[in-house]
Coordinates of all heavy atoms in Angstrom, one line a residue:
M137 N 0.9 -1.2 0.0 CA 0.0 0.0 0.0 C 0.9 1.2 0.0 O 1.8 1.4 0.8 CB -0.8 0.0 1.2 CG -1.8 1.3 1.4 SD -2.8 1.2 2.9 CE -3.7 2.7 2.8
D138 N 0.7 2.1 -1.0 CA 1.4 3.4 -1.0 C 0.7 4.4 -0.1 O -0.3 4.9 -0.6 CB 1.5 3.8 -2.5 CG 2.3 5.2 -2.6 OD1 2.7 5.7 -1.6 OD2 2.5 5.6 -3.7
S139 N 1.2 4.7 1.1 CA 0.4 5.5 2.0 C 0.2 6.9 1.4 O -0.8 7.5 1.6 CB 1.2 5.6 3.3 OG 1.3 4.3 3.8
N140 N 1.2 7.5 0.8 CA 1.1 8.9 0.3 C 0.0 9.0 -0.7 O -0.5 10.1 -0.9 CB 2.5 9.3 -0.2 CG 3.5 9.4 0.9 OD1 3.2 9.8 2.0 ND2 4.7 9.0 0.7
R141 N -0.3 7.9 -1.4 CA -1.3 8.0 -2.4 C -2.6 8.2 -1.8 O -3.5 8.7 -2.5 CB -1.2 6.6 -3.2 CG -2.3 6.6 -4.3 CD -2.1 5.2 -5.0 NE -3.2 4.9 -5.9 CZ -3.4 3.8 -6.5 NH1 -2.7 2.7 -6.2 NH2 -4.4 3.6 -7.3
F142 N -2.9 7.7 -0.6 CA -4.2 7.6 -0.1 C -4.4 8.8 1.0 O -5.4 9.3 1.1 CB -4.5 6.3 0.6 CG -4.7 5.2 -0.5 CD1 -3.8 4.3 -0.5 CD2 -5.8 5.2 -1.3 CE1 -3.9 3.2 -1.4 CE2 -6.0 4.3 -2.3 CZ -5.0 3.2 -2.3
W143 N -3.4 9.0 1.8 CA -3.5 9.9 2.9 C -3.2 11.4 2.5 O -2.2 11.7 1.9 CB -2.7 9.5 4.0 CG -3.0 8.2 4.6 CD1 -2.4 7.0 4.3 CD2 -4.1 7.9 5.5 NE1 -3.1 5.9 5.0 CE2 -4.0 6.5 5.7 CE3 -5.0 8.7 6.2 CZ2 -4.9 5.8 6.6 CZ3 -5.9 8.0 7.0 CH2 -5.9 6.7 7.2
Q144 N -4.1 12.3 2.8 CA -4.0 13.7 2.6 C -3.9 14.4 3.8 O -4.4 14.0 4.8 CB -5.2 14.2 1.8 CG -5.6 13.4 0.5 CD -4.8 14.0 -0.7 OE1 -4.5 15.1 -0.8 NE2 -4.6 13.1 -1.7
S145 N -3.1 15.5 3.7 CA -3.0 16.4 4.9 C -4.2 17.3 5.0 O -4.7 17.9 4.1 CB -1.8 17.3 4.9 OG -1.7 18.2 5.9
S146 N -4.9 17.2 6.2 CA -6.1 18.0 6.5 C -5.9 18.9 7.7 O -6.1 18.6 8.8 CB -7.4 17.2 6.8 OG -7.5 16.2 5.7
L157 N -8.2 4.9 18.5 CA -8.3 4.5 17.1 C -8.9 3.1 17.1 O -8.6 2.3 18.0 CB -6.9 4.5 16.5 CG -6.2 5.8 16.3 CD1 -4.7 5.6 16.0 CD2 -6.9 6.6 15.2
G163 N -12.1 -2.6 6.8 CA -11.0 -1.7 6.6 C -11.4 -0.2 6.8 O -10.6 0.7 6.3
I164 N -12.5 0.1 7.5 CA -12.8 1.5 7.7 C -12.2 1.8 9.1 O -12.3 1.2 10.1 CB -14.4 1.6 7.8 CG1 -15.1 1.3 6.5 CG2 -14.7 3.1 8.2 CD1 -16.6 1.3 6.6
L165 N -11.4 3.0 9.0 CA -10.8 3.5 10.2 C -11.6 4.4 11.0 O -12.3 5.3 10.4 CB -9.5 4.1 9.8 CG -8.5 3.3 9.0 CD1 -7.3 4.0 8.6 CD2 -8.0 2.1 9.9
Y166 N -11.6 4.3 12.2 CA -12.4 5.3 13.1 C -11.4 5.9 14.1 O -10.6 5.2 14.7 CB -13.5 4.6 13.8 CG -14.7 4.1 12.9 CD1 -14.6 2.8 12.3 CD2 -15.8 4.9 12.7 CE1 -15.5 2.5 11.5 CE2 -16.8 4.5 11.8 CZ -16.7 3.2 11.2 OH -17.7 2.9 10.4
Q176 N -14.2 9.1 10.5 CA -13.9 7.8 9.9 C -13.3 8.1 8.6 O -13.4 9.1 8.0 CB -15.3 7.0 9.6 CG -16.2 7.6 8.6 CD -17.4 6.7 8.3 OE1 -17.8 5.9 9.2 NE2 -17.9 6.8 7.1
F177 N -12.5 7.0 8.1 CA -11.7 7.2 6.9 C -11.9 5.9 6.1 O -11.8 4.8 6.6 CB -10.3 7.4 7.2 CG -9.4 7.4 6.0 CD1 -9.2 8.6 5.3 CD2 -8.8 6.2 5.5 CE1 -8.5 8.6 4.1 CE2 -8.0 6.2 4.4 CZ -7.8 7.4 3.7
T178 N -12.1 6.1 4.8 CA -11.9 5.0 3.8 C -11.1 5.6 2.7 O -11.2 6.9 2.4 CB -13.3 4.5 3.3 OG1 -13.9 5.5 2.6 CG2 -14.2 4.0 4.4
P179 N -10.3 4.8 1.9 CA -9.5 5.3 0.8 C -10.4 6.1 -0.2 O -9.9 7.0 -0.8 CB -8.9 4.1 0.3 CG -8.8 3.1 1.4 CD -10.1 3.4 2.2
S182 N -11.9 9.5 2.0 CA -11.1 10.3 2.9 C -11.7 10.5 4.2 O -12.6 9.7 4.6 CB -10.7 11.7 2.3 OG -9.7 12.3 3.1
W183 N -11.2 11.4 5.1 CA -11.7 11.5 6.4 C -13.0 12.3 6.4 O -13.2 13.4 5.7 CB -10.7 12.2 7.3 CG -9.6 11.4 7.8 CD1 -8.3 11.3 7.3 CD2 -9.6 10.4 8.8 NE1 -7.6 10.4 7.9 CE2 -8.4 9.8 8.9 CE3 -10.6 10.0 9.8 CZ2 -8.0 8.9 9.8 CZ3 -10.3 9.0 10.7 CH2 -9.0 8.5 10.7
L384 N -2.6 1.9 16.5 CA -3.2 0.9 15.7 C -2.3 0.5 14.6 O -1.7 1.4 13.9 CB -4.5 1.5 15.2 CG -5.3 0.5 14.1 CD1 -5.8 -0.7 14.9 CD2 -6.4 1.3 13.5
W386 N -2.2 -1.5 11.1 CA -3.2 -1.9 10.1 C -2.5 -1.9 8.7 O -1.9 -0.9 8.2 CB -4.3 -0.9 10.1 CG -5.4 -1.0 9.1 CD1 -6.3 -2.1 9.1 CD2 -5.6 -0.2 8.0 NE1 -7.1 -1.9 8.0 CE2 -6.8 -0.8 7.3 CE3 -5.0 1.0 7.5 CZ2 -7.3 -0.2 6.1 CZ3 -5.6 1.5 6.3 CH2 -6.7 0.9 5.7
I389 N 0.9 -0.5 8.4 CA 1.0 0.9 8.7 C 0.8 1.0 10.2 O -0.2 0.6 10.8 CB 0.0 1.8 7.9 CG1 0.3 1.7 6.4 CG2 0.1 3.2 8.4 CD1 -0.7 2.5 5.6
M391 N -0.2 3.6 13.1 CA -0.9 4.8 13.3 C -1.0 5.1 14.7 O -1.2 4.3 15.5 CB -2.3 4.8 12.6 CG -2.3 4.4 11.2 SD -4.0 4.0 10.6 CE -4.8 5.6 11.0
I399 N -3.5 12.8 13.8 CA -3.1 11.4 13.7 C -1.9 11.3 12.8 O -1.8 11.9 11.8 CB -4.3 10.6 13.2 CG1 -5.5 10.6 14.1 CG2 -3.9 9.2 12.8 CD1 -6.7 9.9 13.6
K400 N -0.9 10.5 13.3 CA 0.3 10.3 12.5 C 0.5 8.9 12.1 O -0.2 8.0 12.7 CB 1.5 10.8 13.3 CG 1.6 12.2 13.6 CD 2.8 12.6 14.5 CE 2.9 14.0 14.8 NZ 3.2 14.8 13.6
Y401 N 1.2 8.6 11.0 CA 1.4 7.3 10.5 C 2.8 7.1 10.0 O 3.5 8.1 9.6 CB 0.4 6.9 9.4 CG 0.9 7.4 8.1 CD1 1.5 6.4 7.1 CD2 0.7 8.7 7.6 CE1 1.9 6.8 5.9 CE2 1.1 9.1 6.4 CZ 1.8 8.2 5.5 OH 2.2 8.6 4.3
K402 N 3.2 5.9 9.9 CA 4.4 5.5 9.3 C 4.3 4.1 8.8 O 3.5 3.3 9.4 CB 5.7 5.7 10.1 CG 5.8 4.7 11.3 CD 7.1 4.9 12.0 CE 7.4 3.7 12.9 NZ 7.7 2.5 12.1
Q410 N 4.5 10.7 9.8 CA 4.0 11.8 9.1 C 2.6 12.2 9.6 O 2.0 11.3 10.2 CB 3.9 11.5 7.6 CG 5.3 11.2 6.9 CD 5.1 10.9 5.5 OE1 4.4 11.6 4.8 NE2 5.8 9.9 4.9
T411 N 2.3 13.4 9.5 CA 1.0 13.8 9.9 C -0.1 13.6 8.8 O 0.2 13.9 7.6 CB 1.0 15.3 10.3 OG1 1.8 15.5 11.4 CG2 -0.4 15.8 10.7
I412 N -1.2 13.0 9.1 CA -2.2 12.7 8.1 C -3.5 13.4 8.4 O -4.4 13.4 7.6 CB -2.5 11.2 8.0 CG1 -3.0 10.6 9.4 CG2 -1.2 10.4 7.5 CD1 -3.4 9.1 9.2
L413 N -3.6 14.1 9.5 CA -4.8 15.0 9.7 C -4.4 16.4 10.1 O -3.3 16.6 10.7 CB -5.5 14.4 11.0 CG -6.4 13.2 10.7 CD1 -7.1 12.8 12.1 CD2 -7.4 13.4 9.6

Side-chain angles (χ1 to χ4, degrees):
M137 177 178 178
D138 181 358
S139 303
N140 294 323
R141 176 183 171 190
F142 292 110
W143 297 97
Q144 305 273 329
S145 176
S146 302
L157 294 167
I164 300 176
L165 302 175
Y166 291 86
Q176 72 176 27
F177 174 87
T178 64
S182 190
W183 284 101
L384 176 69
W386 175 72
I389 296 174
M391 304 173 58
I399 295 176
K400 295 178 177 292
Y401 84 99
K402 74 174 189 69
Q410 299 181 43
T411 299
I412 59 173
L413 282 181

